[in-house]
Amino acid sequence: MAGSRLERIGTVFTRVRDLMRSGVIKQTEKPIWYDVYEAFPPKRQPLYVKPHTRSRVRKPDPVPEIFYTEDQVRAKFYEQYGMGPRPFDLSKSNFVSTCQRFVDKYAELKSQSEMDDTVLFEETAKALLAEGIILRRRGASTVAAESRDPVLGLKLTAMLAEQQSIGDDSMQEPEQLTSNTTQMS
């Protein structure tokens, strides 16, 4: 009988009191604390109160998602070029990834000109090529790049030389550039 009751039904005092009245607990076996509790009862009865569970309506998150232009450029970079030619070197504190260099160059070119984003993206890739950073498009195999026409290599070196000559403000003719590149080889 006493073991079947839960703490939720009555208090320990009322249960012991009822057991003493019914004769299950004798007056000689009553707990030490019983007389003290009877003489000085608490101001508030320690009753078990079931916590209220309210149905919560999920409110939309007041904080909007934040997208920076750099994040969009990074996403497009990784979509087109993948992770880049080499892994990140986190042991060096001054290491700058290829993607970060691309984003920095993109921001620099964007501040200098008012080009469309797609054109600016391609111009950034060309500017990095001029600096010596080679970007390989995702899915392009290295075997296919090696089996291309050797004239393509000349065109790339000609374009690189042209970019450098524009920086020096000395324009050369394309025939001179190709002859210069063949002489260098």
Side-chain angles (χ1 to χ4, degrees):
M1 180 172 109
S4 66
R5 294 192 178 205
L6 300 173
E7 293 87 19
R8 298 180 202 157
I9 303 170
T11 63
V12 175
F13 176 76
T14 57
R15 285 185 280 158
V16 170
R17 182 193 66 204
D18 293 342
L19 289 172
M20 287 174 49
R21 284 183 188 164
S22 66
V24 175
I25 298 178
K26 298 178 180 148
Q27 284 290 333
T28 58
E29 296 175 353
K30 72 178 175 184
I32 300 171
W33 55 264
Y34 184 81
D35 291 329
V36 174
Y37 192 93
E38 191 176 33
F40 303 103
K43 292 179 181 176
R44 240 180 355 109
Q45 285 294 326
L47 297 175
Y48 176 80
V49 178
K50 184 177 180 180
H52 295 287
T53 56
R54 288 194 232 170
S55 61
R56 238 174 107 176
V57 177
R58 188 168 181 104
K59 296 179 182 176
D61 193 13
V63 180
E65 293 185 21
I66 300 172
F67 286 110
Y68 295 104
T69 56
E70 298 90 25
D71 295 336
Q72 293 170 348
V73 172
R74 278 188 187 92
K76 191 171 180 183
F77 174 84
Y78 284 124
E79 181 182 313
Q80 285 195 1
Y81 299 110
M83 292 299 293
R86 60 180 188 196
F88 294 150
D89 187 6
L90 299 177
S91 63
K92 296 178 182 175
S93 62
N94 59 353
F95 176 77
V96 180
S97 69
T98 307
C99 179
Q100 185 60 41
R101 288 182 186 188
F102 188 89
V103 169
D104 292 341
K105 183 58 85 172
Y106 183 90
E108 178 185 328
L109 291 176
K110 187 167 182 120
S111 67
Q112 293 174 358
S113 66
E114 294 294 325
M115 287 188 268
D116 184 32
D117 287 341
T118 55
V119 174
L120 186 61
F121 196 83
E122 294 299 322
E123 289 298 319
T124 305
K126 289 177 185 176
L128 286 179
L129 179 64
E131 290 179 7
I133 299 173
I134 300 171
L135 300 174
R136 290 194 177 95
R137 291 201 183 265
R138 191 176 237 182
S141 64
T142 56
V143 176
E146 292 172 358
S147 65
R148 289 187 193 156
D149 189 17
V151 177
L152 182 64
L154 294 175
K155 289 180 182 177
L156 289 176
T157 55
M159 186 179 76
L160 179 61
E162 182 182 340
Q163 289 288 332
Q164 290 173 348
S165 66
I166 289 172
D168 296 337
D169 291 334
S170 61
M171 295 295 293
Q172 295 180 355
E173 293 298 319
E175 294 103 24
Q176 293 174 345
L177 287 174
T178 55
S179 64
N180 287 344
T181 55
T182 55
Q183 289 173 359
M184 288 181 186
S185 301

